[in-house]
Amino acid sequence: MPLVTGYELLQPALEGGYAVGAFNANNLESVKAVIDACEEKEAPVFLQVSQGAIKYAGLEEAAALVIAAANKATIPVALHLDHGTSYEQNVQCLRAGFTSLMYDGSKDSFEDNIAASAEIARMTHACGIPLECELGLIPKIEDYLTEEQMGPCKRGEVECVLDLMSEAEVAKLYENSTDPDMAVEFRDRTKCDSMAVAIGAIHGMTGRGSKLNFELLQVLMDKVNLPFVLHAASGIPFDQMQKACAMGVCKVNVATRISMALIQGTAERIAAKPDEKDFRKVFDKGMERVKDVVYEYVDLFGCAGKGGAGWYCGPQNVAITKESPE
Ligand code: G3H
Ligand code: ZN
């Protein structure tokens, strides 16, 4: 079916008490594997284009891959911009057919984040497309550790990179969490449709060692009343992920695990048949591994079966900020 909007995935998730997975779209193999797995599970899904994917594949190219795959799929798919960097990039994505957008001003001052997010929300709402914004800082593991420092984790000598961080670094991580009062003000002044919240997760973890602050999540839930997005899911232990979804988080972003699955499966396939002459065949095991990761997450999020043949979302309360001229 044609792409659906983020509104059409988030509203039923909010009402149904489940979360929708958002997986990164970097190349043909990852897009095909994610959509195939979601079709088998009858799960709605966001395919999201990250800043890395834009550099690697190109914005239009990545979008075209997702649009073509979604058109053939029987499940609802939204094409999302991940960690959008500017007003201009959001406009470029709208022109390329994106149906869900994001602006990440989390590294800016509170006022600058509000000003830019509000301006972009007004523009995306005029086109009937929702905007996710980020408040509080969800860091990358590379902000704390060098490649070299992460070595023991990559060699499997420690369970999780978080164990390699100093106490001061861990304290800083939680200090940068989303503040509930600021989140209320941010919501009111930006009119954003969903919020990426910082509650202890770190992007790019190679082991599941994050410790989410559920007390904070509950306060945010009670005060802010917006769809919440959980980023950096690769490093979140499964029991914590399930708890966050049960508490009302309705979109969960996964990237690193998808990337690692594709690499590991492909490496095994090449090692098993190093004289393969057809490069198209070397990705089959990697794609299977990606599908296994997606099956697992979709079950955890509770969205399996929510995008099957009977899927109909109905008219959504799409925020149009300006009346059309007479
Ligand atoms: O925006 C992307 C996600 O937050 C993915 O993070 O690579 O840690 O799973 P991850
Ligand atoms: Zn993220």
Side-chain angles (χ1 to χ4, degrees), residues 105-219:
S106 61
K107 290 206 171 98
D108 299 335
S109 70
F110 183 54
E111 282 302 322
D112 286 353
N113 190 1
I114 287 182
S117 299
E119 189 187 22
I120 297 169
R122 183 170 172 223
M123 180 271 294
T124 72
H125 291 168
C127 303
I129 301 296
L131 183 72
E132 174 182 329
C133 292
E134 183 165 325
L135 184 66
L137 199 62
I138 309 166
K140 298 195 290 276
I141 192 63
E142 291 81 3
D143 296 340
Y144 294 103
L145 301 172
T146 62
E147 275 290 314
E148 208 170 72
Q149 286 172 313
M150 286 189 274
C153 185
K154 290 191 170 158
R155 292 192 296 274
E157 291 163 17
V158 289
E159 162 56 16
C160 177
V161 277
L162 202 68
D163 300 336
L164 302 170
M165 286 165 54
S166 69
E167 264 180 45
E169 286 170 331
V170 174
K172 191 172 150 215
L173 166 70
Y174 291 102
E175 273 163 30
N176 288 332
S177 294
T178 308
D179 177 87
D181 293 323
M182 288 166 94
V184 171
E185 186 179 343
F186 188 91
R187 174 203 66 194
D188 292 344
R189 290 175 61 194
T190 64
K191 310 277 186 292
C192 67
D193 302 280
S194 59
M195 188 181 283
V197 286
I199 55 170
I202 304 178
H203 284 111
M205 302 263 283
T206 52
R208 293 192 190 97
S210 292
K211 286 180 189 64
L212 300 185
N213 182 345
F214 286 107
E215 220 173 289
L216 173 60
L217 179 60
Q218 191 56 59
V219 177

Side-chain angles (χ1 to χ4, degrees), residues 79 203 234:
L79 170 58
H203 284 111
S234 295

Side-chain angles (χ1 to χ4, degrees), residues 24 48 82-83 102 104 132 134 138-139 196 203 229-233 253-255:
N24 283 28
Q48 53 185 18
D82 193 28
H83 294 285
M102 178 177 184
D104 176 0
E132 174 182 329
E134 183 165 325
I138 309 166
H203 284 111
V229 181
L230 195 55
H231 279 241
N253 290 9
V254 187

Side-chain angles (χ1 to χ4, degrees), residues 17-23 199 201-202 207-214 217 221 228-255 257 293-294 296-303:
Y18 60 89
V20 179
F23 303 99
I199 55 170
I202 304 178
R208 293 192 190 97
S210 292
K211 286 180 189 64
L212 300 185
N213 182 345
F214 286 107
L217 179 60
M221 288 283 171
F228 285 137
V229 181
L230 195 55
H231 279 241
S234 295
I236 301 174
F238 285 169
D239 57 334
Q240 293 185 41
M241 186 101 66
Q242 257 172 328
K243 186 169 174 185
C245 295
M247 285 171 72
V249 160
C250 59
K251 172 172 175 276
V252 183
N253 290 9
V254 187
R257 291 248 153 234
V293 170
V294 174
E296 203 168 27
Y297 277 115
V298 156
D299 285 336
L300 274 173
F301 302 158
C303 64

